[in-house]
Amino acid sequence: MILIHCPYCDEKRPEIEFANAGQAHVVRPVDPSTYDDAQWEAFLFIRANPRGRHHERWRHIHGCGRFFNAVRDTVTDKFEATYKAGKPRR
Amino acid sequence: MSGYRLPSGGRIDRSRPVSFQFDGNAYQGFAGDTLASALLANGVMLFGRSFKYHRPRGLMAAGSEEPNALVSVDRGPGRFTPNLRATNVELYEGLNAASQNRWPSLKTDFGAINDRLGMFFPAGFYNKTFMWPRSFWDRLYEPSIRKMAGLGDAPTEEDPDTYAATYAHCDLLIIGAGPAGIDAALMAAGTDRRVTLIDEQDEMGGGALADPALWPWLERSMKMLADAPNVTILTRTTAFGYYHDNFIGAVQRLTDHLPEILPATGRCPEGAEGPVEAAQNNPTQGSLGPPPPSALRAATSPFRGGLPPREKLWRIRAGEVVLAQGAIERPLVFEGNDTPGVMLASAAKVFALRYGVAIGQSVALMAAHDSGWHDVFALAKAGVGIAAIIDMRGTVDQALIDAALAHNIRVELGAAVIGVDGRHAVKGIEIASTTGGNRRCIACDALLMAGGWTPSVHLWSHSKGTLKWRDDIGAYVPDQPNENARCVGACSGDWDFGQGAVIGMLPTPKDASRIKAFVDFQNDVTAKDIKLAVREGFRSIEHIKRYTTNGMATDQGKTSNLNGLQIASTALNKPVTDIGLTTFRPPYTPQTFGALAGHAKGELFQPLRKSPIDGWAQDHGAVFELVAQWRRARYFPKPGEDMHTAVNRECVAVRSSVGIFDASTLGKIEVVGPDAAEFLNRMYTNPWKALEPGRCRYGLLLKEDGFIMDDGVSARLAPDRFHLTTTTGGAARVLNMMEDYLQTEWPNLNVWLTSTTEQYAVIALQGPNARKLLEPLVAGIDLSAEAFPHMAIREGTICGIPTRLFRVSFTGELGFEINVPSAYARALWKRLMTAGAPHGITPYGTEAMHVLRAEKGFIIVGQDTDGTVTPYDAGLDWAVGKKKADFVGKRSLARPDIVAAGRKQLVGLLTDDPNVVLEEGAQIVADPNQPIPMTMIGHVTSSYWSETLGRSIAMALVAGGHSKMGETLHIPMPGRTHTAKVSDMVFYDPEGARLNV
Amino acid sequence: MSDTLTRNDPVPTTLFTADGVTIRLAPPMARFSLRARQGQALETLLGVKLPKKIGTVKGGIACLGPDEWLLRGAAGTAIPIGDGLPVAITDIGERSVCFTVEGPRAAQLLMSGCPLDLDRFAAGRAARTLFESVEIILIRHAADRFEVEVWRSFADWLWTALTKAASHGP
Amino acid sequence: MTRFSGLNLFAKALGGHKGWAEQWPDAVPKPAYDAIIIGGGGHGLGAAYYLAKKYGINNVAVLEKGWIGGGNTGRNTTIIRSNYLYDESAHLYDHAVKLWDGLSQELNYNVMYSKRGVMMLAHNVHDVQSLQRHIHANRLNGVDNEWLTPQEAKAYCPPLSISPQARHPVLGAALQRRGGTARHDSVAWGYARGAAALGVDIIQNCAVTGVRRGVDGAVEGVETSRGYIASKRVGVSAAGNSSVIMQMAGLDFPLESYPLQALVSEPVKPTFPCVVMSNTVHAYMSQSDKGELVIGAGTDQYVSYSQRGALHIIEHTLAAICEIFPIYRRMRMLRTWGGIVDVTPDRSPILGKTPVTGLYVNCGWGTGGFKATPGAGDLLAYTMAKDEPHPINAPYNLDRFRNGRLIDEAAAAAVAH
């Protein structure tokens, strides 16, 4: 059970308090109707799945309830950083 | 001859004899013995049979690495445990153990025929045969293989014991309480760090327990640790796995060593009802009551305290971990090395000095390492006769030879054991010089092996710490950590037992392809199996492991991995480091399923959520169904009624007078803030901004992929306050999805979401008499049709309780849904039942609710839709805001396949025979006469008998269904094909006349 | 609220006792979820001071998230609901029940299912967290006194889980 | 290739088993091949075998970064079944089941396919409806699957608890009698031996580090840790690492890779006759021929290649197992391990061509790839040989994520109300 630093609570809490919410910084278009099918497919389904540095979202669902972003290495599972939603990509 | 109790010595308590049984024979040992030491003291050398060849086997080790001496322990009904190591079973009065994998007896085992035929069962033999004739595989070959495999028997009865679990936190976790671990704990004792020291044995000390010279130190140290308030000591606790971020799993064994299991100290709840039914039925509950006649019988007693848990799972988060797990001695590989009476030298020392038991009266040592010499000297000092020391090395430290001479021990250097005389016990050994000549025999009754040492790096490897190979000790040792951890003592490769040679197999002049020299004792993997694997092209150590099963036994290769690696290295003529290392996987030693499951048993397995009205339903005979985490009343049978009859009655009551339904489990979300309407407008398919306060609206929610996710009727309480409802199963998902959009896509909206599912219980009153019943009980709300129309909400009080009263209907009748604070729901329900009695008020369950809504063509998300259905497929075009620029899922509805013709669409289905109720899930075809595989064009999603309509009704997803109105379709069932016509989904009161009254 | 309709509780109202710990259902109370981007608007509206740091409690109000507070008070407490303001106040008085867990072994008992390090969870702290799979809000009032808020439908499970763990002894 | 048979085993035994040859040579890469398969698991080796055996392409290399069968092939719970709901899935998996039947004989390698039956439990009304829907669809698709009452389920699998008092009582079960298990390692080895005998080069310890594309965009070959290897036909069958390989070819894929754990108990005498799965309780189990109870655990929730799962997943799994089979509470867990599963948005595989000419893919099998091994291998081979998908795998294209024609078995089992 990994420990995750919640940037809102500012402490490390156990994984079971969190829900992973997939890749980070996948932004929903302001007007989806401007997206063609391929762009929309990319938004819906295409995901970075790197061996290594990965930007992902978590929600401290059984804690403060906030979604936030993280950079984690998918080979070691170690976090490089977690940061609040809306902050620029690290 | 065989093992015997030494006249003195050891840590056993000779003043406390303990009686026990093995294979039906009675024996006696002492407190402090293990089953292994006690049996050995009684001269028992034969402990079990090996896995494949059913070879007679004795003790090889003294600890948890023991591969041979596996026994079953039977503690009475439901308390049968197979595959326990005799070396880990602590002796207690009345212990009843039995050997395994033999028939009819341990001494005479018919399975031993496998040994005679062993040449036909080399590694991987099953891949090469049993293929012809084909049909024999299922009927003969496989059943035979299965029967032969396996070790002990599985338990056959439910385990009455309980298991506990806990989290724990410490700054320093020390695993292993040998001298190195104790030293680490002593260093930290008295500091402000929280220290936990755990060890798998019943007593702290590790190797020191077999070294009487260290006992005074051990006693002093343990006292200091016990006195240190910052140190927690856990014995009989195995750290079995090392997980992310210094999270360690450990299991503590609490009762297996006790002769009797006495009730725990916890007390029952004083007086009053408890949620445990058994407690309610027990007249003596409320106190400890009279002691149960037998401690073990108390397991089935209804006391809440009951027996103490058998084991406890510790989930430990540590700041720093110190691994002090020691090292395991390596056996030597030669013909006959598995004969009972052939033992690790260090184990013989443990038996002698810790338990006061000698393996034999005339013991030989086969050494490749200095440590064996020291062990033998210790045995000699303890009074054990030493027949000879054979060392494969041509030269050894002169001090060892001097010491041997001082003990008058014969020494044979540059020689190796090449055979063992005796099948059930050692009678003598044959040795030869390492160059092959000079074969001679030595009489002895036991043979010790000193093949060097393997650091226990299991947990280190679980933690993904790296390993490096050390040629001088022929073993992998810890290198770079991946967690905040370090290894100390022997598990880091540091020890003071001297030097040794690193070898795979002892040299032998015999034909190596004809002898059985065991590497993995339990799985019967021999050196020639490994060589065969290499010959057949298996080069990676993982391949060799899997092909031969070396290291895959219940000891997980603790004594076999390194020998296997060396033998493979020799056979491949490649350095060990080039053929890899098998991965160490948790658990370190096998751990009980029950311990991992912890408390999660029966009612504690997973929470069963119950509505505030559930108790009334239970008292009134409801039959329940499970929906998501909840249970809901499905129907309320009267005496003699089956489901069909009860549901018909409930439906008729709603249509003719009034029914009452518990809708509390529906999810509720309160959406509050100036941007509430804007937010809902973006989430739901339909428009929300124009909804007036006091009015309700059906809301349809899609996932971003355009498929229906959830639905529900929601109300606007105020310009900035909405009361949403969701499906029972969808509540958590919907809230999470809404939070996701709100927090990450539209963070500027001033709106907040709060789950109110459990704040309000919901009682639905449905039927033409609903208003009449409600009117006298409600204050502050005008219930008249004009003042309170369909799809409206009003706030007031009911029986003095504040209520949010919805005028909505999922039945097609005049209906109200009464939201009240949960705590009052049951009392209100009872009040309504009383008040409704003159109207024949009838409680109905989810089944009648399903029928009633189907008569009206209302869908149930999750039943009539399944995650592949769009609003258009479901005929819910009207609920999609065509003019809205965007909502969640809108863009996906324009994808090519979603707008293509021929999609499955939801329609009504009326069977030609009105008495036929189709099966839900039944498949629909256009042409019933086509061959299999048939082209299926849809399936029945909902199907019921409608008592109101006097016929069956169904809903179905049918390809192009909306354009198939009136067409006949076919539903092929086993034995009969039904026909049905496509129809509109609204079967009852299509004008909605009954609603607007 | 009413003298004619009685309340129903999902667990026994009697005290459970085991070695070193007692567990009981707390009396009914008022609860409100308070939400706002900044606490200021709420403080003005309600005339109270809000704790600013997540996980702290001040005057019966626990800060559970950056924009979320839990206000608990005596049963019957009424507060303004902030109509039209950029705040959200929601009555959740009956959504959960509260267990009081007391005694020298209270923290140890809670750690049987709560993954937080309660040795380092000071009095005056509050956190939404888990007990096994069930969400709770844990409030520590003193070294040996905790309150556990749990949604009503999970209360039966949690009561059974806690009393069972307590009866298993240390 | 030495023929395997009982007789030969007997003969070789008399010679001290010295006469056995390598089951497959450890090949050294040649500069070029007619076709390359990346990934030496069951699927990749199977594809190579069928390319050579059925489609006449023998100059084939299988490139494996570690040792063959060392990925998910050697880490799964070996369940075989084909009782899927949708036509596309039923056809795909039944194609595999038909190949499983007789595979030992075809390969002359006993893969120990054991038709002991796969039973899926229903615990609530929704489960019953869902499984009934499967049974009806399977019947009309020619796939065996039958409904059992709780008592019949108990008779088929005596350790099953059908107590009505259980937290999730058993309301019935769907049984596919042709379902069962096979010996995972043997499948990889059998295909390797069969393929090698037909001329396929099996190259281990050869990691692909790049995919080279020509000016026209088509595949020209692959860079590896053992040098460049040319081929105009490259099939990727790399399970959890598929995204990584696709990235090398410049393709973003709808895939995410998660850790999946499994575990076995200590071996015991025969006690568990079939395979039982419960989606509601989240557990599945069978007993291996060696006697171990083989248990599937869940996936961790985050993308990871660490092959290191969490303890709480194991706790949940064993709690579930003990709930359905309470007699096993005193059994002991011997070994846990982790694999990496590649998961698509609709939980169905991608098997076919890619936007890059000459690059073919077989990935996204999630937790269900083993059962499809012979079928996936055959279909990948077909697609590579003909440069077009077989009708069975045609629906498993990449286009479906754009046009919305998903094959979502999980969504079909959605629950709400």
Side-chain angles (χ1 to χ4, degrees), chain B residues 8 16 106 267 583 701 745 858 947 955:
Chain B
S8 65
R16 287 168 58 207
L106 185 54
R267 288 214 304 279
T583 318
L701 195 63
E745 300 295 349
F858 297 139
E947 186 72 2
M955 292 155 82

Side-chain angles (χ1 to χ4, degrees), chain C:
Chain C
M1 267 187 252
S2 164
D3 52 3
T4 57
L5 290 184
T6 51
R7 299 176 53 89
N8 268 88
D9 295 307
V11 300
T13 50
T14 45
L15 185 69
F16 173 91
T17 311
D19 276 2
V21 66
T22 63
I23 308 167
R24 69 183 158 80
L25 181 68
M29 60 181 96
R31 297 176 182 85
F32 294 93
S33 167
L34 314 179
R35 308 292 298 271
R37 245 170 242 284
Q38 276 90 32
Q40 189 61 48
L42 289 165
E43 290 181 335
T44 311
L45 177 71
L46 303 177
V48 293
K49 278 285 174 202
L50 296 178
K52 294 295 183 303
K53 188 172 160 45
I54 298 172
T56 56
V57 185
K58 193 191 240 173
I61 301 175
C63 182
L64 298 177
D67 63 350
E68 180 181 4
W69 292 264
L70 172 67
L71 184 160
R72 303 191 312 161
T77 302
I79 61 171
I81 62 168
D83 274 343
L85 298 176
V87 302
I89 297 177
T90 306
D91 182 359
I92 48 169
E94 301 291 357
R95 185 173 73 170
S96 51
V97 298
C98 177
F99 298 155
T100 305
V101 181
E102 273 182 288
R105 216 158 63 73
Q108 189 194 26
L109 169 64
L110 290 166
M111 279 202 280
S112 70
C114 173
L116 298 185
D117 184 355
L118 298 186
D119 293 346
R120 302 283 154 86
F121 193 84
R125 279 205 61 188
R128 189 152 43 210
T129 179
L130 290 168
F131 189 91
E132 296 296 347
S133 63
V134 169
E135 185 176 290
I136 59 172
I137 294 171
L138 189 64
I139 303 161
R140 187 173 209 161
H141 293 289
D144 60 354
R145 188 158 67 87
F146 291 85
E147 286 188 315
V148 183
E149 290 263 329
V150 63
W151 283 14
R152 180 173 289 269
S153 67
F154 293 103
D156 178 17
W157 183 93
L158 185 64
W159 174 266
T160 309
L162 284 172
T163 55
K164 178 144 192 159
S167 64
H168 271 158

